Amino acid sequence: MNSQTCWAAQRAGRKVLLALALAVTAVSSLAQTTLESVTGALQGGAEVVRIDLSQALTAAPTGFVIQSPARIALDFPGVTNAIGRSTIDINQGNLRSVSVLQAGERSRVVLNLKQATSYKTQLQGKSLLVVLDPVVTPAPEATAVPAFAEPRSRDVLPLKDVDFRRGVNGAGRIVVALPSSQVGVDIRQRGQTLVVEFMKTSLPEGLKRRLDVADFGTPVQTVTTFQTGDRVRMVIEPKGAWEHSAYQSDDQFVVEVKPQRVDPSKLTQGPGYNGQKLSLNFQNIEVRSLLQVIADFTNFNIVTSDSVAGSVTLRLQDVPWDQALDIILQAKGLGMRKAGNVLWIAPKDEIVAKEKLEREANVALEGLEAVRTESFQLNYAKAADVARQLMGGAVPGAAPVGGAAGAASARLLSTRGSAIAEPRTNQLFVTDVSSRLEQVRSLITKLDIAVRQVLIEARIVEASDTFGKSLGVKLGGGTGNVPAASGGMGGSVGSSYVDGTAATTSGTFVSLPAVGQGGYNPATFAVSIFGENAARFLNLEISALEADGKGKVVSSPRVVTADKIKAVIEQGTELPYQVATASGATSIAFRKANLKLEVTPQITPEGNIILELDIAKDTVGQSTAAGFAINTKHIQTQVLVENGGTVVIGGIFELTESTNETKVPFFGDLPGVGNLFKSRGKVSNKQEMLVFITPKMISDKAAVR
């Protein structure tokens, strides 16, 4: 074969190869499936969406339903969009429009619905039919205005009180005292305000007011209460992010407005899962593709690690999307970190290792960063105390304290940081890296604040009620002569008379006189009865006394102190007494008989006050051979009191009753006449001590008057 023949053969071979390449290209172009059109129609009373493709599908595409907003999403792998536009308006029946999205070699068809519904798919040649289930519209029902409690009384009753208190964790509590437990209450939210209405009630003049409660540090700023018709309306105006709850106990209605805690690491704010609900039904779908489905639904940017692989089969119906994502991550052993609207998803071990490397790198950089010194002027806190806290308990001296000597578990400064306290000007000089100085500045802002003060007033009331009664007689007689001019009655016997009158003699038969009361002798009344010729006589003396006394002693010590700082105030007398020493000599010591109030207040976050109390009321008692005795009254306790409230923390009550009777045997028991032969006494003494405590928070610098 000559060269010309070989060249012709090679040329013919090239043509064959080119023809084969063109054929393969044509076949591959024909193998690429494209979306041709999307239309909607009504067939047999059902809504049908027809999706035409260039080639028939081997299987129906996977999809999921979104409840709000109402959507149906269908994924077509290996299919491109050849329609020429991404949105197709239909507005027929329940179907608003159709959106076609393409990402690489995958297309998604989203049916935008007016109301959420389910669907069925059916392959028909090169077309896919999506049949929408009919939407059942519930018949409208007559609904009443939502009320917290239905009114049961037809009478218009006045509210008793409206009060505001600070609750736990900065919550604002509006407490309303209702006239009865049958009052109906309606509470609803209007924009950024809460409106509470009390049915069939009236508002007294003293409660028609606007409470400015912004200083309590809660979301509630103002509470306005006013009358409107036959009901009382209360408008609560909070600020910021908040949530509310309401409850009623007997005749007390409470509305609590709490600040909403924002957790930047959560996908949705609030307790539990709060994302929009979706439905997912997939068989052996790749985890990366499933994460992309959730990203398209939530508009979050998801960065997936290269080590995320595998597939999952799941069926979720009406599940919040953040819960669905959590289920998927737990099923595959994955973790998540959120930064703004970007989610980074990787295996948990990889996340932990990466965070460990970042922290080690930050520590290394902190060791190389230049340090600088910054001064802080403190107004209320002591510079030495703050420096001690920054150093983790190390006592700062004149020189900087640093290194391992100042290291502690609670140390805020770095290993190269130091703090110097200047007590004369109350300044703090801190040397450290910039990031630690920012933390120190934030800590000092929270520590260097004025401590709240409390006025504690105690009232010690001692009351006494004494009663005593005594009744007695003297009975006697005698013989003798008395003057003829005598009247036969006198207050005494036994006198001697002159000028012909014989002296009289007498004796005492019964001597049971009354007993003195209150330091006074009893009053007496005497009578003498003479016999024939006045030769014989009988003396009768009656003595009686009744004493009644009432007394009250009020002691009122009061003291002002700062929160959690113990205060002591006392007044009284120091009594001397002799004390023997080891050498046998004696010395003089003193013992106090004082009125003392010792208290340590603690202000709780909700505005109440916890008091640790030690109250003593000692007085000088009776004198003894060793000195004066001391009468003591002592109370030591802990109590929780509302701000401005009064509580009785203790009391002592003593009752002494006694009845005495002295009589002559037999004669004292005779009816009627027996009273001449007996003496009776009765004593009833009452003593009571009560201790009242009233704490009040003071916010100004005015002197206590």
Side-chain angles (χ1 to χ4, degrees), residues 57-76:
L57 299 176
T58 57
T62 59
F64 58 92
V65 178
I66 301 172
Q67 297 293 328
S68 178
R71 294 175 182 171
I72 297 175
L74 301 173
D75 285 336
F76 294 83

Side-chain angles (χ1 to χ4, degrees), residues 215-216 380 450-455 560-562 603 609 643 695-704:
D215 294 339
F216 282 81
Y380 303 100
V451 180
R452 289 180 291 181
Q453 295 181 330
V454 183
L455 168 65
V560 177
T561 183
I603 302 175
I609 302 174
N643 179 29
K696 298 178 183 178
M697 284 190 293
I698 54 178
S699 57
D700 56 350
K701 300 179 181 179
V704 179

Side-chain angles (χ1 to χ4, degrees), residues 450-613:
V451 180
R452 289 180 291 181
Q453 295 181 330
V454 183
L455 168 65
I456 301 100
E457 182 175 1
R459 289 184 178 271
I460 305 172
V461 181
E462 297 176 275
S464 62
D465 187 355
T466 61
F467 175 79
K469 184 178 180 180
S470 180
L471 179 65
V473 298
K474 282 185 179 182
L475 184 63
T479 61
N481 296 322
V482 296
S486 175
M489 184 176 294
S492 65
V493 296
S495 301
S496 297
Y497 296 90
V498 192
D499 298 332
T501 303
T504 60
T505 60
S506 66
T508 301
F509 306 149
V510 178
S511 179
L512 297 174
V515 181
Q517 300 287 337
Y520 295 93
N521 294 325
T524 61
F525 174 77
V527 63
S528 296
I529 303 175
F530 295 95
E532 183 180 359
N533 298 325
R536 297 179 181 84
F537 59 90
L538 180 66
N539 294 332
L540 175 62
E541 180 181 309
I542 300 175
S543 58
L545 181 64
E546 180 176 314
D548 191 2
K550 298 181 184 294
K552 182 172 68 173
V553 178
V554 179
S555 305
S556 181
R558 57 180 178 175
V559 65
V560 177
T561 183
D563 185 22
K564 301 182 184 66
I565 302 298
K566 183 172 70 173
V568 178
I569 184 171
E570 59 181 344
Q571 178 189 13
T573 305
E574 291 191 355
L575 303 177
Y577 63 95
Q578 291 186 349
V579 179
T581 61
S583 61
T586 59
S587 61
I588 300 298
F590 292 89
R591 184 181 178 187
K592 295 181 179 180
N594 289 349
L595 168 64
K596 185 182 74 170
L597 170 63
E598 181 178 320
V599 59
T600 303
Q602 177 184 347
I603 302 175
T604 63
E606 63 269 19
N608 297 330
I609 302 174
I610 299 175
L611 299 175
E612 291 186 5
L613 294 161

Side-chain angles (χ1 to χ4, degrees), residues 611-615 635-639 649:
L611 299 175
E612 291 186 5
L613 294 161
D614 190 347
I615 301 175
I635 291 179
Q636 185 175 2
T637 184
Q638 185 183 76
V639 65
I649 64 171

Side-chain angles (χ1 to χ4, degrees), residues 7-180:
W7 180 81
Q10 292 176 358
R11 185 177 181 183
R14 289 192 186 96
K15 290 182 178 180
V16 172
L17 292 175
L18 180 60
L20 289 174
L22 292 174
V24 171
T25 303
V27 171
S28 62
S29 62
L30 291 175
Q32 180 68 45
T33 306
T34 59
L35 290 171
E36 301 293 338
S37 64
V38 179
T39 57
L42 291 175
Q43 297 180 3
E47 295 184 58
V48 179
V49 180
R50 184 183 186 90
I51 303 175
D52 297 325
L53 300 99
S54 60
Q55 296 184 21
L57 299 176
T58 57
T62 59
F64 58 92
V65 178
I66 301 172
Q67 297 293 328
S68 178
R71 294 175 182 171
I72 297 175
L74 301 173
D75 285 336
F76 294 83
V79 177
T80 60
N81 182 16
I83 299 177
R85 51 180 175 166
S86 59
T87 303
I88 304 169
D89 294 328
I90 296 180
N91 275 331
Q92 181 178 353
N94 192 28
L95 183 62
R96 295 180 184 273
S97 61
V98 178
S99 300
V100 182
L101 308 175
Q102 182 175 343
E105 295 183 353
R106 180 174 65 92
S107 296
R108 171 173 294 178
V109 177
V110 179
L111 308 181
N112 301 312
L113 308 176
K114 298 177 182 178
Q115 297 184 31
T117 185
S118 56
Y119 70 96
K120 300 180 182 65
T121 57
Q122 179 182 353
L123 293 175
Q124 192 179 79
K126 296 181 179 181
S127 300
L128 174 68
L129 302 182
V130 182
V131 182
L132 304 180
D133 292 341
V135 178
V136 179
T137 304
E141 298 179 357
T143 58
V145 177
F148 190 90
E150 295 296 335
R152 300 180 183 178
S153 175
R154 296 182 180 180
D155 299 331
V156 177
L157 304 175
L159 296 181
K160 295 181 180 179
D161 190 20
V162 177
D163 191 15
F164 180 86
R165 303 172 186 173
R166 177 183 168 89
V168 182
N169 297 326
R173 301 177 70 243
I174 299 93
V175 182
V176 182
L178 303 175
S180 70

